[in-house]
Amino acid sequence: MEGNKVTINDVARAAGVSKGTVDRVLHNRGEVSQKSKEKVLKVIEELGFKPNLYASLLASQKERTIVCLIPEHLPGEFWSLTDKGIRDAAVLVARYGVKVQIVNYDQYSLESFREACSSVIESKPSGVLLAPMFRDESLTFVNALVDNGIPYIFLDSKIEESGSLAYFGMPMYQSGFLCADILCGGREIPEKVYVVRIARDKQGLSDPTADRRNGFMDYMSRHYPDTQIVNVFINPKDKGEIYEVLDRSIGSDAGNKFIVMFNSRIHLVAEFIAERGIKDSRVIGFDALQKNLEHLRSGYVQALIAQHTDRQAVDAVNAMADYIVFGNPLAKKDNFTQMDILTKYNCEYY
Amino acid sequence: MEGNKVTINDVARAAGVSKGTVDRVLHNRGEVSQKSKEKVLKVIEELGFKPNLYASLLASQKERTIVCLIPEHLPGEFWSLTDKGIRDAAVLVARYGVKVQIVNYDQYSLESFREACSSVIESKPSGVLLAPMFRDESLTFVNALVDNGIPYIFLDSKIEESGSLAYFGMPMYQSGFLCADILCGGREIPEKVYVVRIARDKQGLSDPTADRRNGFMDYMSRHYPDTQIVNVFINPKDKGEIYEVLDRSIGSDAGNKFIVMFNSRIHLVAEFIAERGIKDSRVIGFDALQKNLEHLRSGYVQALIAQHTDRQAVDAVNAMADYIVFGNPLAKKDNFTQMDILTKYNCEYY
DNA sequence: TTGAAAGCGCTAACAT
DNA sequence: ATGTTAGCGCTTTCAA
């Protein structure tokens, strides 16, 4: 739309200085007399000079790295979906000379998260994608990022603070609301609803699904104020204990069993139910893990609320690359993923 | 810059040829012996060579131009919103060395559209954005684009065919459905609904809002099968005639008046109603033009279904630029704009 | 504080 | 058919 053929050479000539000097004022690199600086700035303005992006990018062989900080995971677990998306995106952004690095931490160990964070800071990346499983530590971390001028994006869940470039994930609160509606909406008032939670939640370690639970609770207290919400805490790593705990609570309940979990582990409950031959349960969970889908098919889970986790990660990485390379601002701060409701009858096409 | 330190020089050396030859096979520019070609291809594969985008873009000083073919317009008319979005985007994509050019045509003159189309083809742009007001001619046009290998995107409305890169606009059918629901939903069965249309529609010239009308009609026949749909045709350029026509139809109706228009011209109706002092009318239209908003405020229009037309154009231009420069495929084919419902009470914040 | 000059990796015109 | 070479516009030493 413009014949912007003005180059740095034109500017240098018109200002009576060399390219080098122009470049110095262009990037505020100092070592320029006030006089030259003003002159150059004036000429730039007059000529309407716009630096050529490609020449700049080519000449400054900068290393740009995006670090993605996510929980470690085994194949088939939730985070492997995100992991896949990140790897896919890595291939795409490689064209822009951007490297992507995944750093894992143990989502059950604060210490491991702390270590991962400091290693990330030390590596001085150009941008960070963070799945903030620990609230307070994550805040400390992003503050450090801000101090170092490193932009960051929240992935999968977010912390309320203002420094982040964006959030890519579900609208957590709404997803809890939706979950409650799928569980109970239009039905007779359930006497009890079991909310199965990871024991971690109990230990004061913050819970990334807290907001989802809030949405759920708000729905319930609004529409089913008389329903009793029973929290059950399990340790996902100890199957024996899980069964013990569930036997005591759900297993000993004679009535209809309404059960939800706010993370991707609903398969743990489904397995228990299947094994104990429990009937009359209504089980809702999150995320389209293979294991969850299996239980959906066999009818031990009635519905899953899912999202295209991999696409989400791809979008987040792309957005970050676009930002650090071209300086393109993000279109939206909240990039909410669509919430898909999966049942036995539509899950084959997901 | 990346682990990909393999340059065209490395390939040339390894293949025992010169950079020139490598470049030739890279771009299928011919003039290379089968033998060299194979060797180069093999080496590229082995070394995992990926050309440096920036160097390529810098060296090949190609002019890339996106042409946007939209109806001509006066200030305040619908298309000036699109026009603005395009101009905004032009500034953005200038960084990528992409130029944007707007070509206008008279949306009431097939001949002018034809002329515009052939001038576009002749200018051999890198990409085209098209607002297809004339169905058949647009089809001819996009076929010509395909023949010339020029990618194109539909803007605002689309034609069903498979060659386009994408569509940026409202979900037309749904918008008609929504319109009907806003007009009648939950109300007593209206005896009549007036659908005010542009006379053009009658003349066999195709109507870009046809799909919207279909959505509307489907809603009506499903929910209000007994309501009579009265089509009224006006010529937007002839105010005298408009009043004449409306006096004969709407003006002589004693009952409640339900009125819709499927394009942005509802202000024509509102003006008539205001001037005639007609009460008890329920008027729904599309698009947040200044004139429409005024009538919304004064209560002669009950609701508008709007969209951020400018953003839509920005997105479309950006997507096209991204495609022609970097070869990035479009994420979605159908980029449906959100449909916003505006009433007297929320239109100030739009 | 400044200028000169050597690239960055690729393209394309020219020579062979 | 192939090699050579001069850029593209900017960044970044290195001297001065």
Side-chain angles (χ1 to χ4, degrees), chain B residues 324-337:
Chain B
I324 62 184
V325 176
F326 300 115
N328 285 340
L330 293 241
K332 285 180 290 185
K333 180 138 185 174
D334 277 321
N335 298 271
F336 291 135
T337 321

Side-chain angles (χ1 to χ4, degrees), chain A residues 317-332:
Chain A
V317 172
N318 275 328
M320 179 59 90
D322 213 33
Y323 178 77
I324 61 183
V325 176
F326 300 116
N328 285 341
L330 294 240
K332 284 180 292 185

Side-chain angles (χ1 to χ4, degrees), chain A residues 97 147 266:
Chain A
D147 290 345
I266 194 67

Side-chain angles (χ1 to χ4, degrees), chain B residues 43-194:
Chain B
V43 170
I44 286 178
E45 174 71 18
E46 284 171 5
L47 267 48
F49 165 75
K50 298 263 183 265
N52 180 311
L53 212 55
Y54 307 132
S56 170
L57 253 10
L58 174 61
S60 76
Q61 300 281 87
K62 275 205 199 94
E63 282 276 321
R64 295 164 202 273
T65 305
I66 297 176
V67 169
C68 305
L69 199 47
I70 62 172
E72 60 193 18
H73 50 271
L74 298 170
E77 288 184 341
F78 176 79
W79 291 103
S80 62
L81 299 174
T82 301
D83 190 280
K84 179 184 177 301
I86 293 173
R87 285 172 200 282
D88 289 350
V91 175
L92 295 178
V93 300
R95 317 168 29 119
Y96 302 104
V98 174
K99 292 190 173 49
V100 177
Q101 201 187 326
I102 298 179
V103 173
N104 292 123
Y105 61 90
D106 176 354
Q107 61 175 304
Y108 303 108
S109 156
L110 231 170
E111 191 47 43
S112 105
F113 182 64
R114 279 209 195 94
E115 276 167 26
C117 287
S118 52
S119 87
V120 169
I121 296 277
E122 270 164 36
S123 75
K124 297 208 174 300
S126 309
V128 167
L129 263 55
L130 171 67
M133 303 297 281
F134 302 105
R135 192 179 174 287
D136 294 346
E137 285 303 314
S138 295
L139 267 177
T140 310
F141 177 51
V142 299
N143 283 335
L145 289 175
V146 170
D147 290 346
N148 287 272
I150 301 171
Y152 57 96
I153 287 178
F154 286 125
L155 199 58
D156 191 67
S157 68
K158 68 172 167 177
I159 296 175
E160 287 312 328
E161 50 80 76
S162 55
S164 74
L165 230 48
Y167 165 60
F168 284 78
M170 262 198 200
M172 292 302 272
Y173 183 90
Q174 271 91 319
S175 71
F177 223 82
L178 175 63
C179 175
D181 190 63
I182 296 173
L183 184 70
C184 310
R187 295 168 194 279
E188 282 178 17
I189 301 170
E191 192 186 322
K192 281 183 192 171
V193 166
Y194 292 96

